[in-house]
Amino acid sequence: MGLREYTIRRVIELIISLFLFSTISFIIFRMMPGDPSSLYLEEGILEPGMREAIRHMLGLDKPLWEQYLIYLKNTFTFTFGVSFLYNKPAIDIILSRKLLNTLALLLSSHGLAIVFGILLGVWSAWRRGKVFDISSMLAAFILYSLPVFWVGIVMLLLFSVKLGLFPLAGTITAGLTHENILQYMADYLHHLILPATAITLIRLGGDYLITRNTMITVIGEDYIKTALAKGVPEKIVVWKHAARNAVLPIVTWVGLEIAVIFSGAVLTESVFSWDGIGKLIYDAALWRDYPILEAAFFIIIFVTLVANFLTDLAYAALDPRVKYD
Amino acid sequence: MTKEIRLRQKRKYGERFREIKEFLRVYRKNRLGMLGLSLIIIYVIIALLAPYITPYDPFERVADPFLPPNPEHIFGTDELGRDIFSLTIYGTRISLFVGILATLLSAFIGSAVGIVSGYFGGLVDDLLMRITDLFLIIPGIPFLIVLSVILGSNIWNIITVIAIISWPSTARLVRSETLSLKTRTFIEAAKLAGATDTYILFRHILVNVLPLISASIILTITRAIILEAGLSFLGLGDPTKISWGTMLYFADRYGAMFSTNPYYIIIPGIALSILGLAFVFVSYAIDEIVNPRLKTRRLR
Amino acid sequence: MNKNNKLLNIEDLRVYYVMSSGSVKAVDRVNLDIGKNEVVALVGESGCGKSTLAYSILRIIPYPGRIIDGKIYFNNIDITALPEEEMRKKIRWRNISMIFQGAMNSLNPVMKIKDQLMEAIIYHEDAIDDVEGAYLRAIDLIKRVGLDPSRVLESYPHELSGGMKQRVVIAMSLLLNPKLVIADEPTTALDVTTQANILELLRDIQKEVGISILLITHDLPVVAEIADRVFVMYAGKIIEHADIYSIFKEPQHPYTDGLISSVPSLVEGKLKKLKIMKGEPPDLINPPSGCRFHPRCPYKMDICEKEEPPPVTIKEGHVVNCWLHVKR
């Protein structure tokens, strides 16, 4: 099968998966006890008489199947509903700054973690049993056992509260008008450093350990011994022969981990008050803001599926044995 | 079942007993493994004896709020003036309980799905693996948040919810081990001797797969403990129980960072990380022994 | 100093895999020599330390193995003491090359055959002044092993059959005109016809270019076909060595005898009765006391459990380590 047929097949699969997910998430979100109107009622935001009006406005008084059809139409036209809480189209809320903020945080931190995890893991496996290997492995075990939100709070305590080096919350300094784009970016970066470091540290442990494990398997292969016996210099054997093969399973792993990566964002974003999708989901769940939840889950799953597809393509590009099937 | 098969079975149990003895002999020499095991035993003892170890009732206000560490309260007090040392001791109970129970539940679901899928193959396999893949790409924590909002915050729901998002990786692992076991001669022999599928599944496959996946299951405990803390930190924990995550939730919410007692933040996190690390050590030691060439294992 | 005209001389070599649960004594005080243009076979069950011995000659022992003591002389130079860079440039592949067990896996799956061949040349640039010529030589060698260079060179390993891969590996091993080729189970995992072809090729090339071969195998018919002398290894030790004729005709060690009787003999043209050797190969962490073969030996005496047997020369070039032959 050629690349074209493969792509077409994968796109069809993607659409089917998205349809399944949308249906499941519709069912789940409508199962949540209480709707926004009842919650606002409890909180004393609403007068009792206005409840029906609100339900009508939000379309919650329609029969369930009609709600489902409207929902499907909204989903696949990428409009989704109108957020109960923000009173704006959900997709606008997500696509405003929030998705961008989350991607900036996740891409920078996971990019660093993967690069350093692979470099350290490859070298550690090659130096197996030596001081460097044992100490970095212990460090990785510790990092792997730390909860990301706790690392975040401790970093805030240390670097923001005690030392005053980094801001406490948000993505840019509130109330500050930036003179130019450079100043804006510097401010953004200043806010990004702590949360990104927290995620990088936590993920580094896992990325390192998985690289080290696959690398150890690869080192045991005969083609590595052959390369050494051929008189190929050690560094070339490690990086050209072994690492290239050890990275293959990691490509797959990273693809599968995208969902986990998104989910970790919720905790980090809530510690650092980072204005992203994670924090949005958290608030939306508490306030029963279905359109936001549905849109956010849909976007996350969409990104995950597309990323899986891309990692499969990357794998095929790296491994000549792979045929598109 | 023929007599010969039963005889061979008997010999196999003897063999298994020897294998276990050999495993323990090697394990005892593994320094990290023994360190991890000792730490876990200490935590279990602390959890069991919590009421006798704690100097104060963790639910009672015993001093002024946010006292820094002092001779009466070695880690100081929280926003209500409760003793942080006592709170942390009690927190051990929830973490261990949730971590182990959620892992058992997830291992049970994962093994059942994986073994059935791998053994029967075909349509069953396709269907089960599709479902597993679906669960694998659900973003865990957002999903947990939504589920705990639906189900409400109590400890049993938290356990269920953690198990629901942890089982797919176990299922995949068990399936691939089952696939490789299925083709072995002793399974063929048992089939020819007229053993039923259920018998083979439990007596042959499960018994052989369990040791191979034990390291990964123990690693799941660490993930489950961290997940429970994460959920509680988001304020979705069981409000009637003391857990390290809940402590951190209140510490964060009541501004412990800016208070006179930052230990309120540090201590529960350290208690949590050391327990997580202990399980990682044990998992690593088992993996080194059961799987000496260190085949690729998925960390989740 | 070692003064003889042998190509390779291994003296009292010990190679252990050092682990927390104990050391695996894979090679334990081994002596072995290979002459020029000689084919020497190293025979033994899997796990007896044969491959480890081969890795030590090239100093590529996998973790956690290391040379504990002993010397390996190549052309009267102790290569255990050579600096790593010198070892890489002057010994590996240029003087000693290796065909690995199961050639299926000795080629890197993500690199083209051409690149894997050229690599051996590129990283010995000081030895080869003419890279162009070396490339032409690679093409010649590919033809010599019976393959079509235009098809093979641009391929990835998975695009070739097992037999083709094995031929590529043989061609690769000859690329730098080595003096010694170590062939570790060169024919396992191949079907019988291919095995025969490969062996024939190996023997022809050996005669043609005049190299020495250390053939490592558990397959005695293979040995009978091409070896001049045989070393028998058991549980990390050499227990007997002799010329090919003596080994097959007059094996002295009960283990050698067992090995030879357990294969249908083609030497004599008739099928001997199969005598299956009893027992398992021993644990090399805690090897048996005295003679390591005693738990499985049908002629066991009291002394076998207590003391290690000394080498006994049966006749010129035939040495056995067995108490049965010690005159007391």
Side-chain angles (χ1 to χ4, degrees):
Chain A
M1 204 191 308
L3 181 62
R4 223 181 89 120
E5 286 89 343
Y6 178 73
T7 310
I8 293 171
R9 217 196 66 206
R10 286 295 297 257
V11 169
I12 293 171
E13 274 181 18
L14 192 127
I15 293 170
I16 296 173
S17 304
L18 283 176
F19 176 75
L20 274 174
F21 269 117
S22 327
T23 308
I24 292 172
S25 62
F26 175 83
I27 297 169
I28 288 176
F29 295 133
R30 302 299 141 132
M31 266 164 58
M32 287 169 99
D35 61 49
S37 63
S38 64
L39 205 70
Y40 303 152
L41 204 67
E42 276 168 37
E43 301 279 324
I45 301 169
L46 277 184
E47 305 267 321
M50 287 178 73
R51 187 172 170 188
E52 283 317 302
I54 295 277
R55 281 177 64 84
H56 178 74
M57 196 183 85
L58 299 175
L60 292 170
D61 55 347
K62 296 198 174 84
L64 212 55
W65 63 268
E66 213 182 315
Q67 288 187 37
Y68 177 63
L69 286 183
I70 294 172
Y71 162 81
L72 272 189
K73 192 189 123 233
N74 285 341
T75 304
F76 282 90
T77 50
F78 279 90
T79 43
F80 300 96
V82 173
S83 159
F84 303 158
L85 203 56
Y86 298 85
N87 199 19
K88 275 194 219 158
I91 193 74
D92 290 354
I93 305 271
I94 287 169
L95 292 184
S96 59
R97 293 301 296 280
K98 294 182 195 298
L99 187 63
L100 217 60
N101 284 340
T102 297
L103 288 178
L105 176 62
L106 293 183
L107 288 177
S108 60
S109 55
H110 286 274
L112 285 174
I114 289 168
V115 168
F116 283 106
I118 288 178
L119 292 178
L120 293 170
V122 164
W123 195 244
S124 187
W126 191 256
R127 305 262 102 187
R128 195 173 170 194
K130 303 266 164 58
V131 178
F132 173 77
D133 177 40
I134 292 169
S135 46
S136 47
M137 201 158 62
L138 270 177
F141 283 156
I142 293 171
L143 290 179
Y144 189 74
S145 320
L146 296 176
V148 68
F149 59 92
W150 182 68
V151 172
I153 310 174
V154 172
M155 284 172 78
L156 279 179
L157 174 66
L158 203 67
F159 296 109
S160 303
V161 178
K162 298 287 176 205
L163 299 173
L165 291 176
F166 293 100
L168 269 164
T171 55
I172 45 164
T173 312
L176 182 72
T177 35
H178 302 89
E179 282 162 15
N180 53 41
I181 184 82
L182 275 176
Q183 198 193 10
Y184 183 89
M185 278 169 68
D187 191 29
Y188 193 84
L189 203 66
H190 193 212
H191 282 78
L192 180 69
I193 288 176
L194 279 192
T197 311
I199 299 181
T200 306
L201 282 177
I202 296 304
R203 295 292 305 189
L204 189 59
D207 291 349
Y208 159 88
L209 286 171
I210 198 109
T211 311
R212 186 181 174 276
N213 273 6
T214 53
M215 184 69 184
I216 280 172
T217 315
V218 169
I219 287 173
E221 301 281 354
D222 274 346
Y223 56 81
I224 297 303
K225 288 194 206 103
T226 306
L228 278 177
K230 268 197 291 194
V232 175
E234 193 186 4
K235 287 218 167 76
I236 308 277
V237 176
V238 177
W239 297 108
K240 198 169 147 201
H241 287 262
R244 175 117 189 253
N245 281 285
V247 160
L248 292 175
I250 294 160
V251 171
T252 316
W253 188 64
V254 168
L256 285 170
E257 284 283 291
I258 306 257
V260 181
I261 287 168
F262 263 109
S263 98
V266 178
L267 287 162
T268 322
E269 288 181 2
S270 88
V271 171
F272 291 96
S273 310
W274 188 259
D275 190 22
I277 302 282
K279 200 166 160 299
L280 181 74
I281 290 180
Y282 178 64
D283 295 338
L286 291 185
W287 291 95
R288 312 289 190 279
D289 198 345
Y290 309 140
I292 290 277
L293 282 177
E294 284 157 357
F297 267 76
F298 186 84
I299 294 287
I300 290 181
I301 283 160
F302 182 73
V303 173
T304 307
L305 289 170
V306 170
N308 277 345
F309 175 46
L310 291 180
T311 48
D312 285 351
L313 284 183
Y315 192 103
L318 286 170
D319 189 343
R321 284 166 294 185
V322 171
K323 301 237 164 50
Y324 297 105
D325 59 18
Chain B
M1 284 267 279
T2 64
K3 195 177 160 198
E4 201 195 321
I5 289 278
R6 235 174 288 136
L7 241 153
R8 190 186 303 159
Q9 196 61 53
K10 215 170 171 183
R11 225 178 300 137
K12 274 196 69 184
Y13 284 134
E15 211 174 278
R16 183 132 286 129
F17 182 68
R18 265 201 309 281
E19 273 169 14
I20 292 172
K21 259 178 71 180
E22 172 63 14
F23 172 82
L24 290 177
R25 188 188 73 79
V26 181
Y27 189 92
R28 247 181 255 131
K29 290 191 182 167
N30 191 307
R31 263 178 273 166
L32 278 189
M34 286 311 277
L35 177 63
L37 192 62
S38 323
L39 285 170
I40 292 168
I41 291 171
I42 292 171
Y43 270 92
V44 169
I45 292 172
I46 289 176
L48 292 175
L49 299 181
Y52 307 100
I53 305 172
T54 47
Y56 301 96
D57 183 339
F59 295 95
E60 288 297 314
R61 179 194 171 115
V62 289
D64 289 336
F66 289 132
L67 277 185
N70 58 66
E72 279 94 68
H73 306 280
I74 53 166
F75 298 136
T77 57
D78 73 355
E79 79 281 354
L80 294 172
R82 298 176 300 188
D83 181 51
I84 287 176
F85 177 68
S86 308
L87 283 164
T88 309
I89 294 283
Y90 265 85
T92 313
R93 295 184 148 189
I94 296 299
S95 274
L96 272 176
F97 187 72
V98 173
I100 292 173
L101 236 61
T103 302
L104 282 179
L105 187 58
S106 122
F108 176 76
I109 305 173
S111 312
V113 172
I115 217 168
V116 166
S117 187
Y119 184 76
F120 292 104
L123 207 63
V124 180
D125 184 31
D126 279 352
L127 189 70
L128 287 177
M129 281 304 114
R130 271 286 144 108
I131 296 174
T132 309
D133 284 347
L134 240 101
F135 274 89
L136 267 177
I137 49 171
I138 290 178
I141 293 173
F143 187 64
L144 288 185
I145 296 173
V146 172
L147 279 187
S148 23
V149 172
I150 298 174
L151 299 169
S153 295
N154 76 57
I155 193 160
W156 299 106
N157 291 341
I158 291 174
I159 290 172
T160 317
V161 154
I162 292 177
I164 288 176
I165 70 151
S166 317
W167 69 267
S169 45
T170 310
R172 285 227 151 252
L173 203 62
V174 172
R175 176 177 172 272
S176 68
E177 298 292 353
T178 307
L179 280 178
S180 72
L181 266 177
K182 200 169 81 168
T183 53
R184 300 271 193 80
T185 40
F186 69 94
I187 304 285
E188 292 293 319
K191 258 190 212 162
L192 288 175
T196 60
D197 283 338
T198 341
Y199 182 85
I200 294 176
L201 276 181
F202 285 97
R203 275 297 173 78
H204 293 292
I205 296 191
L206 192 62
V207 170
N208 283 299
V209 164
L210 277 181
L212 295 174
I213 60 163
S214 54
S216 128
I217 286 178
I218 287 170
L219 207 60
T220 314
I221 301 181
T222 298
R223 299 318 307 173
I225 288 172
I226 295 178
L227 266 178
E228 184 277 329
L231 276 183
S232 304
F233 172 74
L234 291 173
L236 300 166
D238 190 331
T240 63
K241 306 272 195 310
I242 300 165
S243 97
W244 296 325
T246 321
M247 286 175 74
L248 287 167
Y249 167 68
F250 286 116
D252 192 47
R253 195 163 164 185
Y254 289 100
M257 224 183 274
F258 311 100
S259 77
T260 40
N261 187 16
Y263 287 87
Y264 187 12
I265 291 170
I266 293 169
I267 297 303
I270 289 181
L272 174 66
S273 305
I274 293 178
L275 181 59
L277 190 60
F279 282 109
V280 171
F281 283 164
V282 172
S283 160
Y284 173 75
I286 293 180
D287 195 43
E288 239 191 359
I289 298 166
V290 175
N291 208 349
R293 266 194 289 164
L294 266 173
K295 277 191 240 148
T296 328
R297 170 165 53 88
R298 188 176 296 161
L299 286 168
R300 278 210 133 222
Chain C
M1 254 327 262
N2 170 280
K3 286 239 163 49
N4 60 25
N5 57 355
K6 291 284 186 191
L7 183 66
L8 185 84
N9 225 324
I10 297 177
E11 289 180 2
D12 263 336
L13 186 71
R14 285 199 294 160
V15 183
Y16 290 3
Y17 292 95
V18 183
M19 298 184 296
S20 59
S21 48
S23 290
V24 178
K25 301 166 186 71
V27 173
D28 205 355
R29 300 214 174 285
V30 160
N31 291 287
L32 184 145
D33 60 277
I34 300 171
K36 293 187 173 119
N37 297 331
E38 193 183 26
V39 179
V40 169
L42 180 61
V43 184
E45 294 162 307
S46 47
C48 75
K50 326 182 284 263
S51 294
T52 303
L53 185 63
Y55 302 150
S56 359
I57 297 171
L58 284 159
R59 290 199 2 217
I60 52 163
I61 312 162
Y63 174 87
R66 58 167 175 263
I67 296 178
I68 301 291
D69 58 24
K71 303 266 190 275
I72 301 172
Y73 293 99
F74 182 80
N75 272 337
N76 291 331
I77 299 165
D78 178 12
I79 56 174
T80 59
L82 278 186
E84 173 64 21
E85 190 57 16
E86 199 127 315
M87 184 74 197
R88 176 182 90 67
K89 278 191 179 153
K90 300 204 171 136
I91 302 296
R92 293 192 190 130
W93 228 250
R94 225 180 111 185
N95 275 301
I96 307 176
S97 67
M98 183 160 175
I99 299 166
F100 282 83
Q101 197 163 7
M104 312 303 204
N105 308 318
S106 350
L107 293 169
N108 191 330
V110 301
M111 282 171 73
K112 285 184 178 169
I113 302 293
K114 182 183 71 184
D115 297 331
Q116 304 198 42
L117 286 169
M118 287 310 284
E119 227 180 13
I121 298 166
I122 291 168
Y123 295 113
H124 287 97
E125 72 274 36
D126 49 338
I128 287 103
D129 1 280
D130 179 15
V131 173
E132 193 66 25
Y135 184 62
L136 292 177
R137 180 171 156 72
I139 292 180
D140 275 351
L141 278 166
I142 290 287
K143 282 187 193 145
R144 174 64 192 85
V145 296
L147 295 174
D148 172 12
S150 63
R151 155 145 165 53
V152 168
L153 289 173
E154 291 294 327
S155 301
Y156 284 101
H158 72 277
E159 292 162 341
L160 307 179
S161 72
M164 285 164 89
K165 275 189 258 187
Q166 188 64 299
R167 284 163 193 273
V168 168
V169 169
I170 290 174
M172 190 160 80
S173 74
L174 298 169
L175 213 51
L176 302 185
N177 273 323
K179 311 233 165 24
L180 172 67
V181 175
I182 303 171
D184 188 1
E185 308 274 9
T187 57
T188 38
L190 295 175
D191 63 86
V192 188
T193 333
T194 320
Q195 274 192 19
N197 290 337
I198 294 285
L199 276 181
E200 201 177 321
L201 177 68
L202 213 55
R203 193 177 44 196
D204 291 350
I205 289 178
Q206 191 264 332
K207 294 232 168 84
E208 218 170 277
V209 296
I211 47 170
S212 303
I213 294 183
L214 174 61
L215 176 72
I216 299 175
T217 185
H218 63 269
D219 196 352
L220 281 162
V222 170
V223 173
E225 246 173 87
I226 65 173
D228 301 316
R229 276 194 305 142
V230 179
F231 282 72
V232 182
M233 195 166 180
Y234 184 81
K237 291 195 174 285
I238 300 291
I239 48 137
E240 182 171 6
H241 67 91
D243 61 279
I244 183 86
Y245 186 81
S246 312
I247 281 284
F248 277 91
K249 279 295 184 194
E250 303 148 3
Q252 300 297 321
H253 197 287
Y255 176 70
T256 314
D257 188 39
L259 269 186
I260 286 163
S261 330
S262 64
V263 286
S265 167
L266 298 170
V267 179
E268 300 184 343
K270 61 176 185 203
L271 232 60
K272 268 195 193 170
K273 206 178 132 205
L274 286 180
K275 190 158 84 186
I276 310 284
M277 194 121 32
K278 277 188 301 183
E280 301 267 311
D283 162 22
L284 289 180
I285 295 183
N286 301 302
S289 57
C291 171
R292 293 192 175 171
F293 187 59
H294 83 252
R296 292 165 76 181
C297 187
Y299 311 105
K300 193 189 79 178
M301 302 177 294
D302 286 344
I303 186 146
C304 299
E305 281 179 52
K306 291 179 194 123
E307 277 180 64
E308 213 182 305
V312 178
T313 307
I314 304 291
K315 63 176 192 210
E316 173 68 38
H318 190 170
V319 178
V320 66
N321 291 49
C322 179
W323 283 113
L324 287 172
H325 301 279
V326 178
K327 300 203 169 51
R328 279 175 302 158

